[in-house]
């Protein structure tokens, strides 16, 4: 009799374990980054994807996003999707949260525009695909950092200094090119001056023409002198 009373208990335990096992195996799986950083005033996308054991359609998927501020346990609604997107009509996320997912591609992401520092906190992504409604939510911590502002005067100073440096560099390059050309020209001239001229006949100096030798002048004969000959055939001159 005791055994007959225990059988129903074991049966229900086994049945419950089987149901839990099936529910765990067929549960929807959600994926999201644990941390995201954005610059103050910019746009950031909160990514959330899922995988379900049942067919996914625009009519079967329900997506909800909630927000939990820093040092707080209270959650507030950010976005809701069921067949169509339902952006917030009031609260801090009005005109900031927009739908950027596609449930047919297992994407349940949203985008936050012009994020202020008050958006620091934890964002919870919840996805259900009926009848697959079992699964753990995923949390993403958003950190909004302050962007360093640069004044117009700083930009002007940087532009002036950069322009001045560029002009100095260009002037230096021009002077270096001129100096190099001048040095090269001087070296070429010295090299040509040291080269022997016989290598190039045209460079040899032409010899100057010699002056003709003067012809010996004949002595003028004196008509009053008589010419005679000596035994050695020497001419004798006699004065008249």
């Amino acid at each position: 009799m005791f055994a007959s009373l225990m059988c129903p208990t074991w049966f229900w335990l086994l049945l419950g374990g089987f149901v839990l096992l099936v529910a765990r195996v067929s549960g929807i799986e959600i994926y999201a980054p644990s941390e995201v950083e954005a610059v103050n005033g910019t746009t950031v996308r909160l990514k959330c994807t899922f995988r379900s054991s049942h067919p996914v359609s625009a009519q079967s998927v329900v997506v909800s996003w909630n927000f939990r501020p820093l040092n707080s346990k209270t959650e507030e609604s950010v976005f809701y999707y069921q067949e169509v997107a339902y952006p917030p009509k009031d609260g801090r996320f009005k005109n900031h949260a927009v739908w950027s997912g596609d449930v047919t591609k297992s994407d349940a992401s949203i985008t936050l525009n012009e994020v202020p520092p008050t958006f620091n906190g934890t964002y919870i992504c919840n996805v259900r695909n009926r009848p697959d409604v079992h699964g753990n939510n995923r949390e993403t911590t958003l950190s909004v950092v302050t962007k360093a502002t640069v004044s117009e005067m700083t930009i002007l100073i940087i532009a002036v200094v950069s322009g001045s440096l560029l002009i100095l560099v260009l002037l230096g390059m021009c002077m270096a090119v001129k100096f190099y050309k001048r040095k090269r020209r001087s070296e070429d001239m010295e090299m040509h001056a040291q080269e022997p001229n016989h290598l190039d006949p045209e460079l040899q100096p032409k010899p100057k023409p010699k002056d003709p030798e003067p012809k010996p002048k004949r002595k003028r004969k004196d008509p009053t002198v008589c010419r005679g000959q000596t035994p050695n055939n020497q001419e004798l001159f006699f004065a008249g």
Side-chain angles (χ1 to χ4, degrees):
M1 182 177 179
F2 179 76
S4 63
L5 292 175
M6 290 296 295
C7 287
T9 303
W10 284 108
F11 173 78
W12 289 113
L13 289 175
L14 291 174
L15 181 60
F18 177 77
V19 171
L20 291 175
L21 180 62
V22 171
R24 184 177 182 83
V25 171
S26 61
I28 191 170
E29 297 180 6
I30 305 173
Y31 309 93
S34 58
E35 295 180 356
V36 173
E37 185 177 281
V39 178
N40 182 24
T42 61
T43 298
V44 61
R45 187 170 187 261
L46 300 180
K47 188 176 181 180
C48 180
T49 58
F50 61 93
R51 185 173 63 182
S52 177
S53 58
H54 293 275
V56 176
S57 66
Q59 294 75 25
S60 62
V61 176
V62 177
V63 179
S64 63
W65 280 87
N66 294 328
F67 172 68
R68 185 170 63 248
L70 295 175
N71 303 322
S72 177
K73 296 181 180 181
T74 304
E75 295 184 3
E76 58 183 278
S77 177
V78 178
F79 205 91
Y80 185 79
Y81 177 93
Q82 186 175 7
E83 296 188 12
V84 294
Y86 294 92
K89 296 182 179 180
D90 53 13
R92 75 177 76 193
F93 296 102
K94 181 181 179 180
N95 300 326
H96 288 280
V98 295
W99 177 253
S100 59
D102 186 352
V103 294
T104 59
K105 297 180 180 180
S106 302
D107 189 352
S109 305
I110 62 172
T111 298
L112 301 179
N113 296 321
E114 300 177 357
V115 293
T118 55
F119 282 14
N120 280 314
T122 302
Y123 293 80
I124 302 98
C125 178
N126 187 342
V127 182
R128 299 292 180 263
N129 181 37
R130 294 168 300 197
D132 192 357
V133 295
H134 301 282
N136 296 325
N137 302 333
R138 286 292 177 266
E139 298 183 354
T140 300
T141 301
L142 175 63
S143 299
V144 180
V145 298
T146 303
K147 180 175 62 175
T149 58
V150 180
S151 62
E152 295 181 358
M153 184 60 66
T154 304
I155 296 175
L156 180 61
I157 293 174
I158 294 175
V160 171
V161 173
S162 301
S164 301
L165 291 176
L166 180 60
I167 293 174
L168 291 176
V169 170
L170 293 176
L171 289 176
M173 292 176 63
C174 292
M175 294 180 64
V177 170
K178 289 183 178 179
F179 176 78
Y180 175 77
K181 288 183 177 179
R182 186 179 303 173
K183 185 177 180 182
R184 185 65 180 272
R185 190 182 300 113
S186 177
E187 292 178 354
D188 291 343
M189 293 177 63
E190 293 179 359
M191 186 179 299
H192 287 301
Q194 294 175 1
E195 289 179 353
N197 293 333
H198 69 272
L199 297 178
D200 191 351
E202 295 183 357
L203 297 178
Q204 295 182 2
K206 296 181 179 180
K208 294 182 179 181
K210 295 182 178 180
D211 296 334
E213 295 182 357
K215 294 181 180 181
K217 295 181 179 181
R218 296 180 65 183
K219 293 182 179 180
R220 186 176 181 182
K221 294 181 180 181
D222 190 353
T224 61
V225 178
C226 295
R227 184 176 66 179
Q229 292 183 352
T230 63
N232 294 329
N233 295 328
Q234 295 182 349
E235 292 183 354
L236 296 177
F237 296 92
F238 301 95

